[in-house]
Every structure is written in C-alpha cells, then in structure tokens.
Amino acid sequence: MPRKKVNSRGYHERKVNTREIRQRFLIVCEGEKTEPNYFRNFRVPKNVAEINVQGRGENPSKLVESAKQLNKQDDYNQVWCVFDRDSWTKEDFNNAMINAEAQGFQVAYSNEAFELWYVLHFQFLNTGIPRSDYNKKLTDLLGRPYKKNSDTIYDELLEKQFIAIKNAENLLKQYVPHIPSQDNPSTTVHLLVQELNKFIQ
C-alpha cells in the first residue's frame, strides 16, 4: 500500500480536486443556428469540460434519435436535447420528452420558442404569445432589431442571466400540475445554463 505524503508540518496531504472528472457535454439542438450559437459562447475551459453542440434542424422526436446515435459514437457525461414546443404536434413533443428520459438524457425545452429564454432576461412573462411576436418583443427590449441567428446575444445578455434564471424558475412554479406541452409560456433552458455555469472558471 503506498505511503501517504507527509508535509513539513507532519500532516498527511491529500490531493483535493473539485473537478476530478472532466465533463463531456453533448448538446443537440432543434435549431441549426440560434441555439447552437448561444451555447457555443459559454466560456468553459477545455481542460475542465468539453462541449459538443449540434444544430440539427429536426423535429423533437427525430432530434432525440439523433442524440441517441451521437451518444453511441462517443462517451458523454451529459446529453441534453434542446427543442421547442413551437409548431410541432403535442404527440411529437411528448414522445420526445418520454424518449429522452428513457435514454437518461436531459431536456432544455421552450414552450413556445427558445426566444422566451431571452425575454426572461428582461421581464417575467407568464402570458403565451405567438412565436412571431417574440421577435418584435425582443427588438423593443434590446433597443435594436433582434437578429435570430445572432452570435453575440450570449454576451449581450450575460449580466442579466441571473434574472432570467429566477424568472424561469418562478414561471415553472405557476403550473400545477406541470405539463410541458401545455404550459405556455415555460422553459427549462435555465437548467442547462446552470449546469454549464458550474464549469466556468
């Protein structure tokens, strides 16, 4: 049995590393640009965690299947599926939620659109609005035209992120029982954001 190292004061030293296991994230997004651009901007050091972000342009059920195949090709600690309720059928959305859970995947969904997460940085929104209205609302809130596939939106909203997390948590509390396909507006994007934030140094 190897002897423990003893320091100059006679105490046994034990190496403590809070991040002994390097995390590998697979984030599979419904959108091809909007969501991937946002999550790729998290400044997580590569020696702490690796983040593979995929923009698939697929419906929720197909997206979960894609995540399943990608996970088979590599070894990830966490797999997240990011998709909207949007114009997809309730059956498709619910099946995706069930199948993701069965695979041990996490889901960061938005009902109705991912842009709800952006709006929550500015205000608590508990009234459902059409997807098309999010662009106008964000244009007003940002004070400039909202660009859907922006590569700078993460940095622009970062200082307000804690507000969005609190608003998202409070929004979910409004729904009892919680039925994701019907709870409009609602989102769990903050759960993925909080998980990534654990690895930002």
Side-chain angles (χ1 to χ4, degrees):
M1 182 175 177
R3 296 176 62 185
K4 292 181 180 179
K5 185 178 178 181
V6 179
N7 66 16
S8 59
R9 287 185 285 182
Y11 295 113
H12 292 293
E13 288 185 342
R14 178 177 176 270
K15 185 178 179 181
V16 178
N17 185 352
T18 56
R19 294 189 178 92
E20 292 177 353
I21 301 176
R22 181 169 174 265
Q23 289 285 298
R24 302 190 72 238
F25 285 82
L26 173 63
I27 303 174
V28 187
C29 305
E30 171 193 328
E32 295 183 77
K33 291 186 178 180
T34 301
E35 298 94 325
N37 285 350
Y38 179 77
F39 290 114
R40 285 176 183 141
N41 274 290
F42 277 75
R43 293 176 180 84
V44 176
K46 291 185 177 179
N47 65 319
V48 173
E50 178 186 335
I51 304 173
N52 180 4
V53 184
Q54 299 271 334
R56 306 295 295 191
E58 299 171 334
N59 64 45
S61 291
K62 177 62 177 170
L63 182 142
V64 174
E65 284 301 311
S66 293
K68 182 179 176 181
Q69 295 306 315
L70 289 166
N71 191 44
K72 283 181 178 179
Q73 296 170 18
D74 217 327
D75 186 24
Y76 294 97
N77 302 102
Q78 297 190 40
V79 179
W80 287 80
C81 297
V82 182
F83 53 82
D84 297 344
R85 171 67 172 86
D86 197 18
S87 57
W88 309 116
T89 65
K90 184 169 69 173
E91 291 73 23
D92 181 39
F93 182 89
N94 287 338
N95 285 338
M97 296 284 287
I98 293 168
N99 291 339
E101 183 179 355
Q103 292 296 321
F105 301 162
Q106 303 292 321
V107 175
Y109 79 86
S110 298
N111 188 347
E112 178 165 328
F114 187 77
E115 280 76 11
L116 169 63
W117 169 244
Y118 295 160
V119 170
L120 293 175
H121 286 71
F122 298 92
Q123 62 183 181
F124 181 71
L125 179 69
N126 62 352
T127 302
I129 62 174
R131 182 185 184 92
S132 57
D133 287 0
Y134 278 104
N135 288 6
K136 182 180 184 303
K137 183 174 253 321
L138 282 169
T139 292
D140 293 340
L141 292 170
L142 290 166
R144 61 160 180 78
Y146 166 66
K147 296 180 181 178
K148 183 171 176 56
N149 299 325
S150 171
D151 194 35
T152 61
I153 194 76
Y154 171 83
D155 288 318
E156 292 177 60
L157 299 180
L158 183 57
E159 65 178 20
K160 294 182 175 68
Q161 191 183 91
F162 73 99
I163 298 172
I165 291 171
K166 184 176 180 180
N167 282 336
E169 289 173 341
N170 288 335
L171 190 53
L172 287 179
K173 292 176 184 176
Q174 305 273 311
Y175 302 104
V176 181
H178 178 41
I179 307 173
S181 64
Q182 298 178 27
D183 300 343
N184 183 12
S186 66
T187 185
T188 56
V189 169
H190 64 290
L191 300 179
L192 174 52
V193 169
Q194 288 175 304
E195 195 61 36
L196 292 173
N197 283 344
K198 292 177 183 178
F199 301 94
I200 293 178
Q201 295 178 325

